[in-house]
Every structure is written in structure tokens, then in C-alpha cells.
PDB file of all heavy atoms in Angstrom:
ATOM      1  N   LEU B   1     -54.253  -0.026  44.147  1.00  0.00           N
ATOM      2  CA  LEU B   1     -54.660  -0.413  42.809  1.00  0.00           C
ATOM      3  C   LEU B   1     -55.593   0.666  42.051  1.00  0.00           C
ATOM      4  O   LEU B   1     -55.973   0.587  40.988  1.00  0.00           O
ATOM      5  CB  LEU B   1     -55.383  -1.710  42.779  1.00  0.00           C
ATOM      6  CG  LEU B   1     -54.675  -2.973  43.386  1.00  0.00           C
ATOM      7  CD1 LEU B   1     -55.539  -4.204  43.243  1.00  0.00           C
ATOM      8  CD2 LEU B   1     -53.320  -3.176  42.495  1.00  0.00           C
ATOM      9  N   LYS B   2     -55.918   1.698  42.999  1.00  0.00           N
ATOM     10  CA  LYS B   2     -56.857   2.792  42.499  1.00  0.00           C
ATOM     11  C   LYS B   2     -58.141   2.222  41.953  1.00  0.00           C
ATOM     12  O   LYS B   2     -58.665   2.612  40.917  1.00  0.00           O
ATOM     13  CB  LYS B   2     -56.069   3.571  41.306  1.00  0.00           C
ATOM     14  CG  LYS B   2     -54.639   4.072  41.618  1.00  0.00           C
ATOM     15  CD  LYS B   2     -54.733   4.877  42.967  1.00  0.00           C
ATOM     16  CE  LYS B   2     -53.221   5.352  43.229  1.00  0.00           C
ATOM     17  NZ  LYS B   2     -53.180   6.062  44.567  1.00  0.00           N
ATOM     18  N   MET B   3     -58.707   1.245  42.638  1.00  0.00           N
ATOM     19  CA  MET B   3     -60.012   0.571  42.267  1.00  0.00           C
ATOM     20  C   MET B   3     -60.928   0.969  43.382  1.00  0.00           C
ATOM     21  O   MET B   3     -60.557   0.927  44.551  1.00  0.00           O
ATOM     22  CB  MET B   3     -59.814  -0.924  42.197  1.00  0.00           C
ATOM     23  CG  MET B   3     -58.991  -1.373  40.920  1.00  0.00           C
ATOM     24  SD  MET B   3     -59.053  -3.261  41.104  1.00  0.00           S
ATOM     25  CE  MET B   3     -57.836  -3.627  39.702  1.00  0.00           C
ATOM     26  N   ARG B   4     -62.194   0.949  42.921  1.00  0.00           N
ATOM     27  CA  ARG B   4     -63.377   1.058  43.967  1.00  0.00           C
ATOM     28  C   ARG B   4     -63.460  -0.367  44.602  1.00  0.00           C
ATOM     29  O   ARG B   4     -63.463  -1.425  43.786  1.00  0.00           O
ATOM     30  CB  ARG B   4     -64.641   1.418  43.248  1.00  0.00           C
ATOM     31  CG  ARG B   4     -65.696   1.546  44.249  1.00  0.00           C
ATOM     32  CD  ARG B   4     -67.061   1.776  43.522  1.00  0.00           C
ATOM     33  NE  ARG B   4     -68.188   1.966  44.499  1.00  0.00           N
ATOM     34  CZ  ARG B   4     -69.463   1.836  44.060  1.00  0.00           C
ATOM     35  NH1 ARG B   4     -69.740   1.604  42.866  1.00  0.00           N
ATOM     36  NH2 ARG B   4     -70.354   1.946  45.026  1.00  0.00           N
ATOM     37  N   CYS B   5     -63.532  -0.486  45.863  1.00  0.00           N
ATOM     38  CA  CYS B   5     -63.724  -1.761  46.548  1.00  0.00           C
ATOM     39  C   CYS B   5     -64.686  -1.572  47.723  1.00  0.00           C
ATOM     40  O   CYS B   5     -64.547  -0.721  48.591  1.00  0.00           O
ATOM     41  CB  CYS B   5     -62.284  -2.145  47.152  1.00  0.00           C
ATOM     42  SG  CYS B   5     -62.316  -3.795  47.795  1.00  0.00           S
ATOM     43  N   ARG B   6     -65.758  -2.372  47.666  1.00  0.00           N
ATOM     44  CA  ARG B   6     -66.702  -2.473  48.742  1.00  0.00           C
ATOM     45  C   ARG B   6     -66.300  -3.497  49.778  1.00  0.00           C
ATOM     46  O   ARG B   6     -65.485  -4.499  49.413  1.00  0.00           O
ATOM     47  CB  ARG B   6     -68.169  -2.885  48.253  1.00  0.00           C
ATOM     48  CG  ARG B   6     -68.719  -1.803  47.225  1.00  0.00           C
ATOM     49  CD  ARG B   6     -69.983  -2.264  46.753  1.00  0.00           C
ATOM     50  NE  ARG B   6     -71.044  -2.306  47.812  1.00  0.00           N
ATOM     51  CZ  ARG B   6     -71.989  -1.366  48.023  1.00  0.00           C
ATOM     52  NH1 ARG B   6     -71.943  -0.313  47.230  1.00  0.00           N
ATOM     53  NH2 ARG B   6     -72.757  -1.517  49.042  1.00  0.00           N
ATOM     54  N   HIS B   7     -66.830  -3.520  50.990  1.00  0.00           N
ATOM     55  CA  HIS B   7     -66.632  -4.478  51.978  1.00  0.00           C
ATOM     56  C   HIS B   7     -67.919  -4.841  52.619  1.00  0.00           C
ATOM     57  O   HIS B   7     -68.694  -4.005  52.978  1.00  0.00           O
ATOM     58  CB  HIS B   7     -65.522  -4.025  52.964  1.00  0.00           C
ATOM     59  CG  HIS B   7     -65.877  -2.738  53.717  1.00  0.00           C
ATOM     60  ND1 HIS B   7     -66.650  -2.608  54.683  1.00  0.00           N
ATOM     61  CD2 HIS B   7     -65.550  -1.417  53.245  1.00  0.00           C
ATOM     62  CE1 HIS B   7     -66.709  -1.347  55.134  1.00  0.00           C
ATOM     63  NE2 HIS B   7     -66.103  -0.636  54.159  1.00  0.00           N
ATOM     64  N   GLU B   8     -68.049  -6.141  52.866  1.00  0.00           N
ATOM     65  CA  GLU B   8     -69.283  -6.730  53.591  1.00  0.00           C
ATOM     66  C   GLU B   8     -68.879  -7.473  54.770  1.00  0.00           C
ATOM     67  O   GLU B   8     -67.910  -8.429  54.559  1.00  0.00           O
ATOM     68  CB  GLU B   8     -70.094  -7.488  52.580  1.00  0.00           C
ATOM     69  CG  GLU B   8     -70.461  -6.817  51.314  1.00  0.00           C
ATOM     70  CD  GLU B   8     -71.620  -5.713  51.494  1.00  0.00           C
ATOM     71  OE1 GLU B   8     -72.178  -5.679  52.642  1.00  0.00           O
ATOM     72  OE2 GLU B   8     -71.613  -4.990  50.594  1.00  0.00           O
ATOM     73  N   ALA B   9     -69.428  -7.298  55.881  1.00  0.00           N
ATOM     74  CA  ALA B   9     -69.021  -8.134  57.080  1.00  0.00           C
ATOM     75  C   ALA B   9     -70.348  -8.463  57.827  1.00  0.00           C
ATOM     76  O   ALA B   9     -70.744  -7.719  58.818  1.00  0.00           O
ATOM     77  CB  ALA B   9     -68.098  -7.346  58.006  1.00  0.00           C
ATOM     78  N   PRO B  10     -71.012  -9.362  57.409  1.00  0.00           N
ATOM     79  CA  PRO B  10     -72.256  -9.835  58.009  1.00  0.00           C
ATOM     80  C   PRO B  10     -72.163 -10.107  59.589  1.00  0.00           C
ATOM     81  O   PRO B  10     -73.106 -10.051  60.369  1.00  0.00           O
ATOM     82  CB  PRO B  10     -72.648 -11.042  57.256  1.00  0.00           C
ATOM     83  CG  PRO B  10     -71.576 -11.638  56.610  1.00  0.00           C
ATOM     84  CD  PRO B  10     -70.642 -10.373  56.293  1.00  0.00           C
ATOM     85  N   GLY B  11     -70.923 -10.700  59.945  1.00  0.00           N
ATOM     86  CA  GLY B  11     -70.659 -10.878  61.304  1.00  0.00           C
ATOM     87  C   GLY B  11     -71.739 -11.814  62.016  1.00  0.00           C
ATOM     88  O   GLY B  11     -71.828 -12.892  61.746  1.00  0.00           O
ATOM     89  N   LEU B  12     -72.327 -11.152  63.119  1.00  0.00           N
ATOM     90  CA  LEU B  12     -73.237 -11.957  63.857  1.00  0.00           C
ATOM     91  C   LEU B  12     -74.513 -12.528  63.144  1.00  0.00           C
ATOM     92  O   LEU B  12     -75.097 -13.459  63.449  1.00  0.00           O
ATOM     93  CB  LEU B  12     -73.816 -11.080  65.080  1.00  0.00           C
ATOM     94  CG  LEU B  12     -72.817 -10.502  66.109  1.00  0.00           C
ATOM     95  CD1 LEU B  12     -73.421  -9.893  67.194  1.00  0.00           C
ATOM     96  CD2 LEU B  12     -71.726 -11.571  66.563  1.00  0.00           C
ATOM     97  N   LEU B  13     -74.911 -11.691  62.086  1.00  0.00           N
ATOM     98  CA  LEU B  13     -75.950 -12.270  61.235  1.00  0.00           C
ATOM     99  C   LEU B  13     -75.672 -13.715  60.656  1.00  0.00           C
ATOM    100  O   LEU B  13     -76.591 -14.524  60.590  1.00  0.00           O
ATOM    101  CB  LEU B  13     -76.129 -11.335  59.953  1.00  0.00           C
ATOM    102  CG  LEU B  13     -76.586  -9.895  60.339  1.00  0.00           C
ATOM    103  CD1 LEU B  13     -76.642  -9.050  59.109  1.00  0.00           C
ATOM    104  CD2 LEU B  13     -77.976  -9.947  61.096  1.00  0.00           C
ATOM    105  N   GLY B  14     -74.345 -14.000  60.365  1.00  0.00           N
ATOM    106  CA  GLY B  14     -74.020 -15.334  59.889  1.00  0.00           C
ATOM    107  C   GLY B  14     -74.209 -16.489  60.875  1.00  0.00           C
ATOM    108  O   GLY B  14     -74.568 -17.554  60.440  1.00  0.00           O
ATOM    109  N   ARG B  15     -74.003 -16.096  62.153  1.00  0.00           N
ATOM    110  CA  ARG B  15     -74.086 -17.162  63.113  1.00  0.00           C
ATOM    111  C   ARG B  15     -75.546 -17.364  63.701  1.00  0.00           C
ATOM    112  O   ARG B  15     -75.901 -18.274  64.351  1.00  0.00           O
ATOM    113  CB  ARG B  15     -73.120 -17.050  64.267  1.00  0.00           C
ATOM    114  CG  ARG B  15     -73.473 -16.013  65.222  1.00  0.00           C
ATOM    115  CD  ARG B  15     -72.297 -15.834  66.343  1.00  0.00           C
ATOM    116  NE  ARG B  15     -72.637 -15.072  67.432  1.00  0.00           N
ATOM    117  CZ  ARG B  15     -71.762 -14.488  68.303  1.00  0.00           C
ATOM    118  NH1 ARG B  15     -70.469 -14.922  68.157  1.00  0.00           N
ATOM    119  NH2 ARG B  15     -72.113 -13.803  69.254  1.00  0.00           N
ATOM    120  N   ALA B  16     -76.359 -16.362  63.414  1.00  0.00           N
ATOM    121  CA  ALA B  16     -77.719 -16.256  64.028  1.00  0.00           C
ATOM    122  C   ALA B  16     -78.893 -16.641  63.035  1.00  0.00           C
ATOM    123  O   ALA B  16     -79.947 -16.673  63.483  1.00  0.00           O
ATOM    124  CB  ALA B  16     -77.978 -14.850  64.615  1.00  0.00           C
ATOM    125  N   SER B  17     -78.498 -16.915  61.880  1.00  0.00           N
ATOM    126  CA  SER B  17     -79.527 -16.996  60.842  1.00  0.00           C
ATOM    127  C   SER B  17     -80.119 -18.405  60.778  1.00  0.00           C
ATOM    128  O   SER B  17     -79.578 -19.447  60.331  1.00  0.00           O
ATOM    129  CB  SER B  17     -78.900 -16.871  59.411  1.00  0.00           C
ATOM    130  OG  SER B  17     -79.884 -17.046  58.380  1.00  0.00           O
ATOM    131  N   ILE B  18     -81.356 -18.496  61.296  1.00  0.00           N
ATOM    132  CA  ILE B  18     -82.085 -19.776  61.393  1.00  0.00           C
ATOM    133  C   ILE B  18     -82.454 -20.117  59.853  1.00  0.00           C
ATOM    134  O   ILE B  18     -82.756 -21.263  59.524  1.00  0.00           O
ATOM    135  CB  ILE B  18     -83.229 -19.603  62.238  1.00  0.00           C
ATOM    136  CG1 ILE B  18     -83.830 -21.080  62.732  1.00  0.00           C
ATOM    137  CG2 ILE B  18     -84.361 -18.843  61.737  1.00  0.00           C
ATOM    138  CD1 ILE B  18     -82.980 -21.708  63.730  1.00  0.00           C
ATOM    139  N   ALA B  19     -82.701 -19.144  59.048  1.00  0.00           N
ATOM    140  CA  ALA B  19     -83.089 -19.335  57.648  1.00  0.00           C
ATOM    141  C   ALA B  19     -82.123 -20.235  56.873  1.00  0.00           C
ATOM    142  O   ALA B  19     -82.417 -20.828  55.946  1.00  0.00           O
ATOM    143  CB  ALA B  19     -83.372 -18.069  56.920  1.00  0.00           C
ATOM    144  N   HIS B  20     -80.826 -20.055  57.370  1.00  0.00           N
ATOM    145  CA  HIS B  20     -79.761 -20.926  56.731  1.00  0.00           C
ATOM    146  C   HIS B  20     -79.395 -22.110  57.505  1.00  0.00           C
ATOM    147  O   HIS B  20     -78.266 -22.689  57.083  1.00  0.00           O
ATOM    148  CB  HIS B  20     -78.478 -19.948  56.466  1.00  0.00           C
ATOM    149  CG  HIS B  20     -78.696 -18.809  55.515  1.00  0.00           C
ATOM    150  ND1 HIS B  20     -79.405 -17.784  55.886  1.00  0.00           N
ATOM    151  CD2 HIS B  20     -78.507 -18.738  54.130  1.00  0.00           C
ATOM    152  CE1 HIS B  20     -79.447 -16.901  54.718  1.00  0.00           C
ATOM    153  NE2 HIS B  20     -78.926 -17.528  53.762  1.00  0.00           N
ATOM    154  N   ARG B  21     -80.189 -22.483  58.385  1.00  0.00           N
ATOM    155  CA  ARG B  21     -79.811 -23.737  59.251  1.00  0.00           C
ATOM    156  C   ARG B  21     -79.675 -24.831  58.399  1.00  0.00           C
ATOM    157  O   ARG B  21     -80.391 -25.247  57.466  1.00  0.00           O
ATOM    158  CB  ARG B  21     -80.818 -23.978  60.244  1.00  0.00           C
ATOM    159  CG  ARG B  21     -80.623 -25.006  61.274  1.00  0.00           C
ATOM    160  CD  ARG B  21     -81.614 -25.112  62.304  1.00  0.00           C
ATOM    161  NE  ARG B  21     -82.871 -25.548  61.781  1.00  0.00           N
ATOM    162  CZ  ARG B  21     -84.002 -25.671  62.490  1.00  0.00           C
ATOM    163  NH1 ARG B  21     -83.964 -25.395  63.797  1.00  0.00           N
ATOM    164  NH2 ARG B  21     -85.144 -26.083  61.919  1.00  0.00           N
ATOM    165  N   SER B  22     -78.567 -25.651  58.532  1.00  0.00           N
ATOM    166  CA  SER B  22     -78.264 -26.829  57.876  1.00  0.00           C
ATOM    167  C   SER B  22     -79.052 -27.991  58.605  1.00  0.00           C
ATOM    168  O   SER B  22     -78.958 -28.250  59.763  1.00  0.00           O
ATOM    169  CB  SER B  22     -76.674 -26.995  57.908  1.00  0.00           C
ATOM    170  OG  SER B  22     -76.436 -28.422  57.802  1.00  0.00           O
ATOM    171  N   ALA B  23     -79.476 -28.872  57.647  1.00  0.00           N
ATOM    172  CA  ALA B  23     -80.251 -30.156  58.245  1.00  0.00           C
ATOM    173  C   ALA B  23     -79.214 -30.890  59.081  1.00  0.00           C
ATOM    174  O   ALA B  23     -79.585 -31.521  60.111  1.00  0.00           O
ATOM    175  CB  ALA B  23     -80.866 -30.858  57.079  1.00  0.00           C
ATOM    176  N   GLN B  24     -78.059 -31.135  58.565  1.00  0.00           N
ATOM    177  CA  GLN B  24     -77.027 -31.998  59.280  1.00  0.00           C
ATOM    178  C   GLN B  24     -76.604 -31.359  60.667  1.00  0.00           C
ATOM    179  O   GLN B  24     -76.457 -31.995  61.572  1.00  0.00           O
ATOM    180  CB  GLN B  24     -75.751 -32.073  58.390  1.00  0.00           C
ATOM    181  CG  GLN B  24     -74.664 -33.013  59.088  1.00  0.00           C
ATOM    182  CD  GLN B  24     -75.160 -34.528  59.167  1.00  0.00           C
ATOM    183  OE1 GLN B  24     -75.693 -35.082  58.256  1.00  0.00           O
ATOM    184  NE2 GLN B  24     -75.092 -34.960  60.354  1.00  0.00           N
ATOM    185  N   ASP B  25     -76.600 -29.931  60.652  1.00  0.00           N
ATOM    186  CA  ASP B  25     -76.123 -29.320  61.738  1.00  0.00           C
ATOM    187  C   ASP B  25     -77.260 -29.438  62.955  1.00  0.00           C
ATOM    188  O   ASP B  25     -76.955 -29.742  64.070  1.00  0.00           O
ATOM    189  CB  ASP B  25     -76.122 -27.797  61.507  1.00  0.00           C
ATOM    190  CG  ASP B  25     -75.255 -27.013  62.427  1.00  0.00           C
ATOM    191  OD1 ASP B  25     -74.368 -27.589  63.148  1.00  0.00           O
ATOM    192  OD2 ASP B  25     -75.261 -25.783  62.420  1.00  0.00           O
ATOM    193  N   LEU B  26     -78.516 -29.421  62.480  1.00  0.00           N
ATOM    194  CA  LEU B  26     -79.546 -29.695  63.510  1.00  0.00           C
ATOM    195  C   LEU B  26     -79.492 -30.944  64.026  1.00  0.00           C
ATOM    196  O   LEU B  26     -79.651 -31.188  65.262  1.00  0.00           O
ATOM    197  CB  LEU B  26     -81.000 -29.414  62.751  1.00  0.00           C
ATOM    198  CG  LEU B  26     -82.167 -29.627  63.618  1.00  0.00           C
ATOM    199  CD1 LEU B  26     -82.176 -28.900  64.928  1.00  0.00           C
ATOM    200  CD2 LEU B  26     -83.450 -29.400  62.868  1.00  0.00           C
ATOM    201  N   GLN B  27     -79.327 -31.988  63.293  1.00  0.00           N
ATOM    202  CA  GLN B  27     -79.238 -33.348  63.696  1.00  0.00           C
ATOM    203  C   GLN B  27     -78.048 -33.557  64.538  1.00  0.00           C
ATOM    204  O   GLN B  27     -78.020 -34.160  65.703  1.00  0.00           O
ATOM    205  CB  GLN B  27     -79.169 -34.181  62.476  1.00  0.00           C
ATOM    206  CG  GLN B  27     -79.168 -35.890  62.878  1.00  0.00           C
ATOM    207  CD  GLN B  27     -80.453 -36.208  63.571  1.00  0.00           C
ATOM    208  OE1 GLN B  27     -81.516 -36.060  62.922  1.00  0.00           O
ATOM    209  NE2 GLN B  27     -80.346 -36.679  64.785  1.00  0.00           N
ATOM    210  N   ASP B  28     -76.959 -33.003  64.202  1.00  0.00           N
ATOM    211  CA  ASP B  28     -75.690 -32.879  65.103  1.00  0.00           C
ATOM    212  C   ASP B  28     -75.929 -32.440  66.485  1.00  0.00           C
ATOM    213  O   ASP B  28     -75.645 -32.888  67.524  1.00  0.00           O
ATOM    214  CB  ASP B  28     -74.502 -32.362  64.519  1.00  0.00           C
ATOM    215  CG  ASP B  28     -74.003 -32.962  63.233  1.00  0.00           C
ATOM    216  OD1 ASP B  28     -74.208 -34.196  63.040  1.00  0.00           O
ATOM    217  OD2 ASP B  28     -73.298 -32.391  62.402  1.00  0.00           O
ATOM    218  N   ALA B  29     -76.675 -31.308  66.503  1.00  0.00           N
ATOM    219  CA  ALA B  29     -76.889 -30.535  67.708  1.00  0.00           C
ATOM    220  C   ALA B  29     -77.753 -31.453  68.767  1.00  0.00           C
ATOM    221  O   ALA B  29     -77.547 -31.502  69.898  1.00  0.00           O
ATOM    222  CB  ALA B  29     -77.659 -29.236  67.495  1.00  0.00           C
ATOM    223  N   VAL B  30     -78.737 -32.087  68.132  1.00  0.00           N
ATOM    224  CA  VAL B  30     -79.543 -33.043  68.985  1.00  0.00           C
ATOM    225  C   VAL B  30     -78.813 -34.382  69.360  1.00  0.00           C
ATOM    226  O   VAL B  30     -78.825 -34.634  70.480  1.00  0.00           O
ATOM    227  CB  VAL B  30     -80.741 -33.416  68.142  1.00  0.00           C
ATOM    228  CG1 VAL B  30     -81.588 -34.610  68.827  1.00  0.00           C
ATOM    229  CG2 VAL B  30     -81.704 -32.163  67.765  1.00  0.00           C
ATOM    230  N   ASP B  31     -78.021 -34.859  68.374  1.00  0.00           N
ATOM    231  CA  ASP B  31     -77.251 -36.057  68.804  1.00  0.00           C
ATOM    232  C   ASP B  31     -76.312 -35.922  69.896  1.00  0.00           C
ATOM    233  O   ASP B  31     -76.180 -36.615  70.797  1.00  0.00           O
ATOM    234  CB  ASP B  31     -76.475 -36.605  67.512  1.00  0.00           C
ATOM    235  CG  ASP B  31     -77.363 -37.182  66.498  1.00  0.00           C
ATOM    236  OD1 ASP B  31     -78.478 -37.577  66.822  1.00  0.00           O
ATOM    237  OD2 ASP B  31     -76.942 -37.410  65.324  1.00  0.00           O
ATOM    238  N   VAL B  32     -75.518 -34.772  69.782  1.00  0.00           N
ATOM    239  CA  VAL B  32     -74.617 -34.496  70.923  1.00  0.00           C
ATOM    240  C   VAL B  32     -75.141 -34.334  72.268  1.00  0.00           C
ATOM    241  O   VAL B  32     -74.687 -34.665  73.362  1.00  0.00           O
ATOM    242  CB  VAL B  32     -73.674 -33.335  70.612  1.00  0.00           C
ATOM    243  CG1 VAL B  32     -72.661 -33.728  69.300  1.00  0.00           C
ATOM    244  CG2 VAL B  32     -74.405 -31.982  70.465  1.00  0.00           C
ATOM    245  N   ALA B  33     -76.366 -33.719  72.246  1.00  0.00           N
ATOM    246  CA  ALA B  33     -77.088 -33.441  73.602  1.00  0.00           C
ATOM    247  C   ALA B  33     -77.563 -34.769  74.112  1.00  0.00           C
ATOM    248  O   ALA B  33     -77.359 -34.993  75.418  1.00  0.00           O
ATOM    249  CB  ALA B  33     -78.287 -32.457  73.187  1.00  0.00           C
ATOM    250  N   ILE B  34     -78.252 -35.612  73.363  1.00  0.00           N
ATOM    251  CA  ILE B  34     -78.686 -36.830  73.862  1.00  0.00           C
ATOM    252  C   ILE B  34     -77.534 -37.611  74.394  1.00  0.00           C
ATOM    253  O   ILE B  34     -77.657 -38.278  75.543  1.00  0.00           O
ATOM    254  CB  ILE B  34     -79.423 -37.631  72.695  1.00  0.00           C
ATOM    255  CG1 ILE B  34     -80.742 -36.885  72.456  1.00  0.00           C
ATOM    256  CG2 ILE B  34     -79.756 -39.056  73.110  1.00  0.00           C
ATOM    257  CD1 ILE B  34     -81.505 -37.422  71.184  1.00  0.00           C
ATOM    258  N   THR B  35     -76.512 -37.772  73.595  1.00  0.00           N
ATOM    259  CA  THR B  35     -75.298 -38.545  74.066  1.00  0.00           C
ATOM    260  C   THR B  35     -74.717 -37.963  75.365  1.00  0.00           C
ATOM    261  O   THR B  35     -74.321 -38.701  76.306  1.00  0.00           O
ATOM    262  CB  THR B  35     -74.179 -38.568  73.127  1.00  0.00           C
ATOM    263  OG1 THR B  35     -74.726 -39.190  71.858  1.00  0.00           O
ATOM    264  CG2 THR B  35     -73.116 -39.390  73.564  1.00  0.00           C
ATOM    265  N   GLY B  36     -74.685 -36.582  75.487  1.00  0.00           N
ATOM    266  CA  GLY B  36     -74.185 -35.960  76.659  1.00  0.00           C
ATOM    267  C   GLY B  36     -74.946 -36.281  77.917  1.00  0.00           C
ATOM    268  O   GLY B  36     -74.431 -36.561  78.919  1.00  0.00           O
ATOM    269  N   VAL B  37     -76.308 -36.152  77.793  1.00  0.00           N
ATOM    270  CA  VAL B  37     -77.139 -36.510  79.010  1.00  0.00           C
ATOM    271  C   VAL B  37     -76.929 -37.963  79.465  1.00  0.00           C
ATOM    272  O   VAL B  37     -76.757 -38.295  80.542  1.00  0.00           O
ATOM    273  CB  VAL B  37     -78.540 -36.207  78.760  1.00  0.00           C
ATOM    274  CG1 VAL B  37     -79.512 -36.695  79.741  1.00  0.00           C
ATOM    275  CG2 VAL B  37     -78.806 -34.783  78.449  1.00  0.00           C
ATOM    276  N   GLN B  38     -76.939 -38.883  78.433  1.00  0.00           N
ATOM    277  CA  GLN B  38     -76.806 -40.300  78.738  1.00  0.00           C
ATOM    278  C   GLN B  38     -75.342 -40.593  79.390  1.00  0.00           C
ATOM    279  O   GLN B  38     -75.319 -41.251  80.334  1.00  0.00           O
ATOM    280  CB  GLN B  38     -76.837 -41.160  77.438  1.00  0.00           C
ATOM    281  CG  GLN B  38     -78.261 -41.124  76.838  1.00  0.00           C
ATOM    282  CD  GLN B  38     -78.380 -41.765  75.514  1.00  0.00           C
ATOM    283  OE1 GLN B  38     -77.440 -42.059  74.929  1.00  0.00           O
ATOM    284  NE2 GLN B  38     -79.615 -42.037  75.111  1.00  0.00           N
ATOM    285  N   ALA B  39     -74.285 -39.870  78.873  1.00  0.00           N
ATOM    286  CA  ALA B  39     -73.007 -40.084  79.392  1.00  0.00           C
ATOM    287  C   ALA B  39     -72.970 -39.535  80.779  1.00  0.00           C
ATOM    288  O   ALA B  39     -72.274 -40.159  81.801  1.00  0.00           O
ATOM    289  CB  ALA B  39     -71.927 -39.290  78.515  1.00  0.00           C
ATOM    290  N   LEU B  40     -73.555 -38.342  81.153  1.00  0.00           N
ATOM    291  CA  LEU B  40     -73.567 -37.839  82.462  1.00  0.00           C
ATOM    292  C   LEU B  40     -74.235 -38.781  83.429  1.00  0.00           C
ATOM    293  O   LEU B  40     -73.706 -38.967  84.612  1.00  0.00           O
ATOM    294  CB  LEU B  40     -74.282 -36.485  82.391  1.00  0.00           C
ATOM    295  CG  LEU B  40     -74.224 -35.681  83.659  1.00  0.00           C
ATOM    296  CD1 LEU B  40     -72.794 -35.148  83.850  1.00  0.00           C
ATOM    297  CD2 LEU B  40     -75.133 -34.348  83.473  1.00  0.00           C
ATOM    298  N   LEU B  41     -75.440 -39.356  83.010  1.00  0.00           N
ATOM    299  CA  LEU B  41     -76.190 -40.162  83.978  1.00  0.00           C
ATOM    300  C   LEU B  41     -75.568 -41.576  83.999  1.00  0.00           C
ATOM    301  O   LEU B  41     -75.933 -42.290  85.045  1.00  0.00           O
ATOM    302  CB  LEU B  41     -77.694 -40.308  83.449  1.00  0.00           C
ATOM    303  CG  LEU B  41     -78.383 -38.966  83.366  1.00  0.00           C
ATOM    304  CD1 LEU B  41     -79.775 -39.150  82.864  1.00  0.00           C
ATOM    305  CD2 LEU B  41     -78.413 -38.212  84.752  1.00  0.00           C
ATOM    306  N   ASN B  42     -74.616 -41.945  83.162  1.00  0.00           N
ATOM    307  CA  ASN B  42     -73.969 -43.133  83.240  1.00  0.00           C
ATOM    308  C   ASN B  42     -72.523 -42.943  83.871  1.00  0.00           C
ATOM    309  O   ASN B  42     -71.614 -43.867  83.704  1.00  0.00           O
ATOM    310  CB  ASN B  42     -73.774 -43.824  81.956  1.00  0.00           C
ATOM    311  CG  ASN B  42     -75.149 -44.369  81.465  1.00  0.00           C
ATOM    312  OD1 ASN B  42     -75.894 -44.925  82.124  1.00  0.00           O
ATOM    313  ND2 ASN B  42     -75.380 -44.296  80.142  1.00  0.00           N
ATOM    314  N   ASN B  43     -72.349 -41.851  84.542  1.00  0.00           N
ATOM    315  CA  ASN B  43     -71.116 -41.630  85.273  1.00  0.00           C
ATOM    316  C   ASN B  43     -69.835 -41.611  84.450  1.00  0.00           C
ATOM    317  O   ASN B  43     -68.724 -41.999  84.913  1.00  0.00           O
ATOM    318  CB  ASN B  43     -70.935 -42.773  86.467  1.00  0.00           C
ATOM    319  CG  ASN B  43     -72.137 -42.582  87.439  1.00  0.00           C
ATOM    320  OD1 ASN B  43     -72.497 -41.617  87.883  1.00  0.00           O
ATOM    321  ND2 ASN B  43     -72.616 -43.844  87.662  1.00  0.00           N
ATOM    322  N   GLN B  44     -69.896 -41.144  83.173  1.00  0.00           N
ATOM    323  CA  GLN B  44     -68.844 -40.956  82.228  1.00  0.00           C
ATOM    324  C   GLN B  44     -68.263 -39.599  82.461  1.00  0.00           C
ATOM    325  O   GLN B  44     -68.329 -38.803  81.566  1.00  0.00           O
ATOM    326  CB  GLN B  44     -69.191 -41.329  80.951  1.00  0.00           C
ATOM    327  CG  GLN B  44     -69.496 -42.774  80.698  1.00  0.00           C
ATOM    328  CD  GLN B  44     -70.022 -43.267  79.295  1.00  0.00           C
ATOM    329  OE1 GLN B  44     -71.036 -42.731  78.808  1.00  0.00           O
ATOM    330  NE2 GLN B  44     -69.271 -44.089  78.753  1.00  0.00           N
ATOM    331  N   ASN B  45     -67.843 -39.290  83.650  1.00  0.00           N
ATOM    332  CA  ASN B  45     -67.352 -37.888  84.019  1.00  0.00           C
ATOM    333  C   ASN B  45     -66.199 -37.561  83.236  1.00  0.00           C
ATOM    334  O   ASN B  45     -65.281 -38.323  82.812  1.00  0.00           O
ATOM    335  CB  ASN B  45     -67.116 -37.961  85.485  1.00  0.00           C
ATOM    336  CG  ASN B  45     -66.768 -36.625  86.049  1.00  0.00           C
ATOM    337  OD1 ASN B  45     -67.154 -35.657  85.767  1.00  0.00           O
ATOM    338  ND2 ASN B  45     -65.781 -36.660  86.943  1.00  0.00           N
TER     339      ASN B  45
END
């Protein structure tokens, strides 16, 4: 197209950014952990 075109690839920055942490994501991370421990100790192998 004979156009100037920039490219941006944040890559690992996007998955490591605590500044952009989602409130729902944090709650989900805690919920699955608690359930996982409980399931393990209740022999839900």
C-alpha cells in the first residue's frame, strides 16, 4: 500500500502488568485456589 506502518508487540508486558490487574481476575484466582485445596483434602482426585 506504500504506507508508513508502525508495529507494537508488548508481549510479556501484557501478561505481567499488575497495574492492569482486573478485580474479577484476582477474585477468580483466589476462588479456584481455595476450591482446589478443599477438593484435594476431600479426596476429589
Side-chain angles (χ1 to χ4, degrees):
L1 299 182
K2 311 302 180 187
M3 290 181 186
R4 182 185 181 201
C5 184
R6 297 178 65 99
H7 54 88
E8 305 287 345
L12 303 185
L13 296 174
R15 76 182 189 193
S17 177
I18 199 77
H20 292 82
R21 186 175 64 184
S22 153
Q24 183 65 51
D25 205 22
L26 177 59
Q27 185 62 57
D28 288 345
V30 172
D31 286 345
V32 295
I34 292 173
T35 301
V37 172
Q38 293 173 349
L40 189 68
L41 298 180
N42 288 323
N43 301 314
Q44 292 174 299
N45 182 38

